[in-house]
Amino acid sequence: MKLRDYLKDKIIIIILVILTYFIFLSFMIGFKIVDEFRWCFTVIYFLLFITLFLYDYFRKYFFYKEILSKLDLLDEKYLICELVSKPNFLDGEILYQMLYEINKSMNENIRDYREKINDFKEYVELWIHEVKIPLSALILYTHNKKIDKALVKEINRVDNYLEQILYYIRVENTEADYIIKEVDLNKVIRDVMLKNKDILLERKIEITSDVRDSKVLTDYKWLEFMINQVISNSMKYMRNIENKKIEIRAYKKDNCVVLEILDNGMGIPKSDLSRVFNKTFTGQNGRKVPGSTGMGLYIVSNLCKKLGHKLEIESNEGEYTKVKFVFDDNLFYSEVRNKE
């Protein structure tokens, strides 16, 4: 609050004070009060007036300055009352009380909103589990019978999308679903390949794996899902490519384990590469390939952050796409400590 703005706001009071002075001065002249008394009265009158104005200005100035400075530091602006001292002037107390009531109302609304969101998430999660039971039975039935491969493929797509939405719902609460232990990357890769074997065989995709005895600290279930999403993306974007290949390898680098998944698909345009982890971003390739949602890599990126892993991607359009999972124990432990 600037002094100039404060004086503008008090202009009527200032005019009244000056008019009052001249009224008193007129009375003193009319009653023939001596000049010395009039000069003494003038000095005392205006000193008192200026002192009161400055006192009122500075107590309001420091209060509003505190509000504005702390408001800039807050992400949740409605919590400002928790950080600001209660003022000692009437209009400040009224403002403080208003902010307090707004804060209280906002907290109640947020609590109600979170309860509704959590109820909805629980319902959707339960619904997905209920749907996956008959779907799993259907997948098992198709393996035991000679069923049209196109139908099998569509059933697997439905299963993949159900799994994707399930992990998307859980992505903000991964801490409640952690089972962190040493995981054998070889076993995870084998399980992912087994899950996708029908599509790999149908599309004649050559897949090579050089993971050896690499082990990392992570959650097995979440890692399997993340690798499966990357492999699914690789298969999706190499439909019109001859000699389709996916290469998987793991190696040590700077005390980290790096899992690298390379495909020779259509690649990603440079203009899209920086946004592939954005929610629902499909880019130019998404317009060429039906069924792209832009959710897979977004969920994978968020899970990596939660688990303390790094996710990197590089690509040349028309040549290749390479996705890297970097498992750094130090980063993992710091992420876990931050959540405790």
Side-chain angles (χ1 to χ4, degrees), residues 180 217 307-309 328-337:
I180 301 299
L217 272 177
L307 290 167
H309 308 324
D328 183 341
D329 288 351
N330 292 328
L331 180 59
F332 165 76
Y333 283 119
S334 67
E335 285 294 319
V336 171
R337 279 194 293 269

Side-chain angles (χ1 to χ4, degrees), residues 25 66 94 120 250:
L25 187 62
E66 183 185 15
I94 294 171
F120 177 73

Side-chain angles (χ1 to χ4, degrees), residues 278-335:
N278 292 354
K279 187 177 180 180
T280 69
F281 179 77
T282 56
Q284 296 180 40
N285 289 345
R287 296 177 179 88
K288 301 174 186 176
V289 178
S292 299
T293 63
M295 292 299 293
L297 287 179
Y298 166 76
I299 298 172
V300 171
S301 174
N302 275 286
L303 288 175
C304 279
K305 290 175 185 175
K306 295 277 187 176
L307 290 167
H309 308 324
K310 292 180 183 176
L311 182 66
E312 301 172 0
I313 189 167
E314 60 181 79
S315 182
N316 275 342
E317 190 175 7
E319 295 182 18
Y320 73 91
T321 299
K322 184 189 294 182
V323 178
K324 294 180 183 178
F325 294 92
V326 181
F327 303 91
D328 183 341
D329 288 351
N330 292 328
L331 180 59
F332 165 76
Y333 283 119
S334 67
E335 285 294 319

Side-chain angles (χ1 to χ4, degrees), residues 168-189:
Y168 173 66
I169 289 170
R170 291 177 172 178
V171 73
E172 293 181 359
N173 300 301
T174 51
E175 295 88 346
D177 199 30
Y178 273 151
I179 303 178
I180 301 299
K181 59 182 180 180
E182 192 175 65
V183 171
D184 185 352
L185 288 180
N186 248 322
K187 187 176 185 313
V188 182
I189 298 300

Side-chain angles (χ1 to χ4, degrees), residues 148-158 199 202-203:
D148 183 17
K149 290 183 178 180
L151 178 60
V152 174
K153 183 174 69 174
E154 294 305 318
I155 292 171
N156 286 329
R157 282 184 65 193
V158 171
I199 302 176
E202 180 202 344
R203 297 183 184 175

